[in-house]
Amino acid sequence: MKNFINEFKKFAMRGNVIDMAVGIIIGAAFGKIVDSLVKDIIMPPIGLLMGKVDFANLYFVLHDGAVPGPYVSLEAAQEAGAVTMNVGMFLNALISFVIVAFAVFILIKAINTLQEKMLAKEKKAEAAAAPATKTCPFCCTEIPLAATRCPHCTSELAAVKKTRKK
């Protein structure tokens, strides 16, 4: 049992598990903000433009409850035990989903751009780290990589390559 607890501690303290937990917490908070944005900011003007429709109360009664309709609100219909199809709630959820999906898309696009920039920097650093010089096999001095003759001892370096291949 002690080994199990130690393994669980090791698992729980790994970086990606903590990152995931932070992501879930921020995601839940973001979901609440988007939900409020849709219900409190976006849908009221749309409802006003469509003839003062309150989307939260846009529903169809499929079967009357203990008290027959018509019902003043969705809440009244549900209290009476009516079976309802909540179209307005679905529209709110759909718009919330679209907003969250767009925000995630923007986030992923930003992360991809950042990763591309980091990869470009790494490739540039690798290219800069590539050797620009070589050692002359005759006099052991540093010479440019493209040199075919050593400027110090005047040895012909192309001949060395040919003799070494044999």
Side-chain angles (χ1 to χ4, degrees):
M1 183 68 174
K2 192 173 188 179
N3 189 29
F4 177 78
I5 292 172
N6 287 336
E7 273 188 55
F8 180 75
K9 283 181 185 177
K10 189 186 277 186
F11 169 77
M13 292 316 226
R14 287 187 5 210
N16 50 356
V17 174
I18 293 171
D19 291 343
M20 185 178 69
V22 169
I24 290 170
I25 292 167
I26 290 174
F30 183 70
K32 289 179 182 179
I33 290 170
V34 169
D35 192 42
S36 176
L37 174 72
V38 170
K39 287 180 183 173
D40 302 329
I41 306 294
I42 295 175
M43 295 312 275
I46 292 174
L48 188 63
L49 290 173
M50 295 181 70
K52 297 184 180 179
V53 175
D54 180 13
F55 280 92
N57 282 320
L58 185 59
Y59 64 96
F60 298 106
V61 177
L62 300 177
H63 187 271
D64 282 335
V67 178
Y71 304 105
V72 179
S73 66
L74 175 62
E75 195 173 281
Q78 289 175 338
E79 284 178 11
V83 178
T84 59
M85 185 184 307
N86 306 328
V87 178
M89 299 292 229
F90 176 74
L91 287 174
N92 284 348
L94 185 66
I95 292 171
S96 293
F97 171 76
V98 169
I99 291 171
V100 169
F102 182 72
V104 168
F105 172 74
I106 295 297
L107 179 68
I108 289 174
K109 192 160 179 64
I111 289 171
N112 287 343
T113 303
L114 185 65
Q115 285 178 340
E116 287 173 6
K117 286 181 181 179
M118 288 175 63
L119 282 174
K121 281 183 181 179
E122 287 176 9
K123 285 182 181 179
K124 196 174 183 180
E126 286 175 7
T133 61
K134 61 184 176 183
T135 304
C136 174
F138 299 105
C139 65
C140 297
T141 57
E142 289 287 316
I143 58 173
L145 196 58
T148 56
R149 187 177 289 273
C150 178
H152 299 285
C153 68
T154 67
S155 298
E156 197 171 328
L157 301 174
V160 174
K161 289 182 183 178
K162 289 177 186 175
T163 56
R164 287 194 177 172
K165 285 183 182 179
K166 291 180 183 178

